[in-house]
């Protein structure tokens, strides 16, 4: 008899163990909150990518990659730029997506804006009927970077910008001369500097298949209300054009740029030292940053690469009360209410470990909750149950019978937003 009682106790313990807390938070890329454009080899952009295609691309980009780097040699077929739409959300989320092939396989490569490296996924062509696999990149005879005279129209434009900005002292100015170069149809072009004995990437691109010409310029820009200034390196001519800060200096400090003589070409796996930016204090050099160019035969992850046009710090959760994704995308504040960041973080924390149960109370049909972070989102339906001295709010995944009950303090805080 004891044996049967003991067995029963064990079975009961197993059942109880299965009734613990689980994760209810599952943020994913939702095509409702993303837009996209198709990019062609001649540099043209085809806007308004259909949502079905956006969803197919995002689905792959959030899966575990098959490879953590690009193939050594590949052909690019088509590229797509995907961007996060809600302007209410701080920061600019972006995915650069490329279809590639080597001699045996086909790939989809994703590059989030917050990371310098690609994730590469092996795919089947038949799953992507909207890609024109017959397109081939422009094949040039040259495999080297060629340095060229800066076109007059670019020089005139930069000089005109400097003239226009004389009265607006808060804006920067170009420091002449600029550099002009053409990229070969394959390889990776990198501009990098040395800081404290470590390499830091200022610019990198493998987008050379559209016969890109790059213009590289140094700029001087005031900072913090003229109290300090920066020297940055501006690269334009590709979709990845950007600016990277080389040095910062305070009042009383100055700068000078020592430029090196450039060769006619930059060959694969060759590196050249083309300039050194120096910080001066009382005519004495207190800091200097040598800057180099390199052409890699195959893709290599850039070292210490920071995008200048986005805050790369890990952002927190943000939350909104709304009726439909369209209202949130359009930032229609007649129907959208932002949740305080601390509350959004608290809700996310509770949903990471919560008991899932059948929701109680009344469903709020005209109000939904969406949490977002780094371009991923999750939308919930809301149930509200008012008791004598207690308020309960349940968040429920659409189409689910069970949901998660928020704590009493979180429910009260969320109720204040709902009743605004």
């Amino acid at each position: 008899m004891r044996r049967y009682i003991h067995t029963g106790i064990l079975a009961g313990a197993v059942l109880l163990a299965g009734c613990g807390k689980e994760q209810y938070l599952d943020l994913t890329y939702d095509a409702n909150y993303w837009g996209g454009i198709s990019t062609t080899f001649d540099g043209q952009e085809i806007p308004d990518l259909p949502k079905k295609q956006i969803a197919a691309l995002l689905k792959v980009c959030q899966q575990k990659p098959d490879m953590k780097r690009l193939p050594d040699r590949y052909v690019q077929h088509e590229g797509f730029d995907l961007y996060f739409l809600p302007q209410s959300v701080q920061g600019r989320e972006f995915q650069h997506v490329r279809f590639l092939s080597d001699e045996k396989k086909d790939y989809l490569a994703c590059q989030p804006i917050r990371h310098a490296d690609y994730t590469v996924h092996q795919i089947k062509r038949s799953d992507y009927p909207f890609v024109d696999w017959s397109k081939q990149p422009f094949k040039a005879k040259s495999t080297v970077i060629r340095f060229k005279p800066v076109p007059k129209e670019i020089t005139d434009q930069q000089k005109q910008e400097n003239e226009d900005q004389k009265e607006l002292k808060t804006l920067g100015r170009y420091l002449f001369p600029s550099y002009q170069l053409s990229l070969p149809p394959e390889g990776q072009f990198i501009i990098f500097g040395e800081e404290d004995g470590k390499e830091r990437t200022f610019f990198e691109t493998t987008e050379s298949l559209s016969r890109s010409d790059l213009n590289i310029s140094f700029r001087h820009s005031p900072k913090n209300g003229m109290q300090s200034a920066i020297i940055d390196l501006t690269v334009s001519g590709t979709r990845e054009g950007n600016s990277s800060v080389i040095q910062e200096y305070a009042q009383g400090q100055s700068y000078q740029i020592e430029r090196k003589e450039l060769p006619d070409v930059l060959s694969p796996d060759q590196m050249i030292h083309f300039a050194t930016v120096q910080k001066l204090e009382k005519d004495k050099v207190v800091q200097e940053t040598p800057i180099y160019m390199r052409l890699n035969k195959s893709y290599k992850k850039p070292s210490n690469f920071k995008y200048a046009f986005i805050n790369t710090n890990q952002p927190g959760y943000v939350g909104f009360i709304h009726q439909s994704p369209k209202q949130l995308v359009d930032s229609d504040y007649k129907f959208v209410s932002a949740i305080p960041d601390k509350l959004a973080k608290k809700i996310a924390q509770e949903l990471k470990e919560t008991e899932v149960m059948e929701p109680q109370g009344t469903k709020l049909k005209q109000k939904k909750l969406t949490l977002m972070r780094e371009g991923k989102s999750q939308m919930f339906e809301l149930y509200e149950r008012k008791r004598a001295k207690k308020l309960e709010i349940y968040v429920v995944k659409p189409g689910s019978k069970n949901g998660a009950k928020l704590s009493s303090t979180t429910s009260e805080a969320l109720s204040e937003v709902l009743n605004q």
Side-chain angles (χ1 to χ4, degrees), residues 245-297:
V245 176
I246 305 296
Q247 283 186 8
E248 297 186 21
Y249 57 96
Q251 283 187 327
Q253 296 176 330
S254 59
Y255 69 92
Q256 65 182 19
I257 300 175
E258 292 186 351
R259 299 171 185 262
K260 309 294 183 179
E261 186 175 347
L262 294 177
D264 293 331
V265 299
L266 178 63
S267 302
D269 291 336
Q270 182 184 359
M271 180 181 74
I272 60 170
H273 177 193
F274 77 98
T276 296
V277 179
Q278 296 178 329
K279 181 189 297 185
L280 306 176
E281 194 167 328
K282 296 180 180 181
D283 296 327
K284 182 180 179 181
V285 177
V286 294
Q287 180 185 350
E288 63 178 16
T289 305
I291 305 175
Y292 305 87
M293 294 179 181
R294 185 173 65 225
L295 177 61
N296 296 329
K297 282 186 178 179

Side-chain angles (χ1 to χ4, degrees), residues 348-364:
Q349 288 175 337
E350 290 187 11
L351 296 183
K352 287 180 180 179
E353 190 177 2
T354 184
E355 292 183 3
V356 178
M357 62 189 73
E358 184 177 348
Q360 303 293 316
T362 304
K363 182 179 180 180
L364 305 181

Side-chain angles (χ1 to χ4, degrees), residues 97-157:
V97 182
R98 307 165 64 188
F99 283 91
L100 316 169
S101 295
D102 59 17
E103 294 179 354
K104 298 180 180 180
K105 300 175 183 177
D106 300 308
Y107 307 95
L108 187 149
C110 306
Q111 185 185 37
I113 200 171
R114 295 184 177 277
H115 308 285
D117 208 1
Y118 287 88
T119 58
V120 185
H121 310 263
Q122 188 177 337
I123 58 169
K124 295 180 180 179
R125 290 191 180 191
S126 56
D127 292 338
Y128 303 91
F130 54 88
V131 175
D132 186 354
W133 294 96
S134 65
K135 284 186 179 180
Q136 296 294 323
F138 174 75
K139 289 291 184 182
K141 295 180 181 179
S142 175
T143 59
V144 299
I145 288 177
R146 296 189 179 277
F147 296 95
K148 305 161 57 177
V150 179
K152 185 177 183 300
E153 58 268 24
I154 292 180
T155 301
D156 290 346
Q157 178 187 346

